[in-house]
Amino acid sequence: MRRRRGDPLHVVIVSDNAETLDGLQEYLQRAGVTAHVTRHLRGAVLDGAVISAVVLFPDDYPPADVDEAVESILRDHPGVLTLLVTRNPQFFAKRATAAGARDVLTIIPKPAWGWTILDTIRARVEA
């Protein structure tokens, strides 16, 4: 998950809330991060794109669909940091502590501000 200093961060934001998508994308882009948005869980990792992190708002989707999407990201893109921003962090805690997921799956409780998300991405990806 390491990236070289100076390499740009590329983030995908997944939410079914237009305000969340627009607000976080704008904040990250002002901070120099390339940010793509999607409302589709299957679009969490863009084909062929180099992604540093996926910021997923799981409360917007059925839990089974979120589990499937997270499992797919962890399996198919093992170096991609996945942040779950949720009102129910305990619900996702078991997955975050699963073997192998500890370093790439992080839960951020709501409310979460753009700088909290950005600082978490930078800390985890640049560590």
Side-chain angles (χ1 to χ4, degrees), residues 78-119:
V80 173
L81 173 64
T82 303
L83 300 175
L84 302 179
V85 183
T86 178
R87 287 183 307 272
N88 302 305
Q90 304 84 353
F91 183 79
F92 296 99
K94 196 178 286 187
R95 179 174 293 285
T97 57
R102 230 173 262 123
D103 295 331
V104 293
L105 183 61
T106 300
I107 299 170
I108 299 176
K110 280 186 174 180
W113 290 268
W115 61 83
T116 303
I117 293 168
L118 179 57
D119 287 350

Side-chain angles (χ1 to χ4, degrees), residues 9-121:
L9 287 171
H10 299 279
V11 175
V12 175
I13 306 162
V14 184
S15 176
D16 198 32
N17 182 300
E19 248 180 79
T20 298
L21 291 172
D22 294 343
L24 186 55
Q25 181 183 36
E26 182 180 330
Y27 180 82
L28 292 176
Q29 287 178 334
R30 281 186 307 191
V33 175
T34 302
H36 301 279
V37 299
T38 182
R39 289 181 167 203
H40 305 286
L41 283 172
R42 293 184 191 267
V45 177
L46 305 174
D47 292 333
V50 176
I51 303 297
S52 309
V54 175
V55 179
L56 172 58
F57 292 82
D59 302 339
D60 297 346
Y61 303 97
D65 292 349
V66 171
D67 281 345
E68 185 179 316
V70 169
E71 196 171 294
S72 174
I73 294 166
L74 295 176
R75 180 187 63 243
D76 300 338
H77 306 278
V80 173
L81 173 64
T82 303
L83 300 175
L84 302 179
V85 183
T86 178
R87 287 183 307 272
N88 302 305
Q90 304 84 353
F91 183 79
F92 296 99
K94 196 178 286 187
R95 179 174 293 285
T97 57
R102 230 173 262 123
D103 295 331
V104 293
L105 183 61
T106 300
I107 299 170
I108 299 176
K110 280 186 174 180
W113 290 268
W115 61 83
T116 303
I117 293 168
L118 179 57
D119 287 350
T120 301
I121 292 169

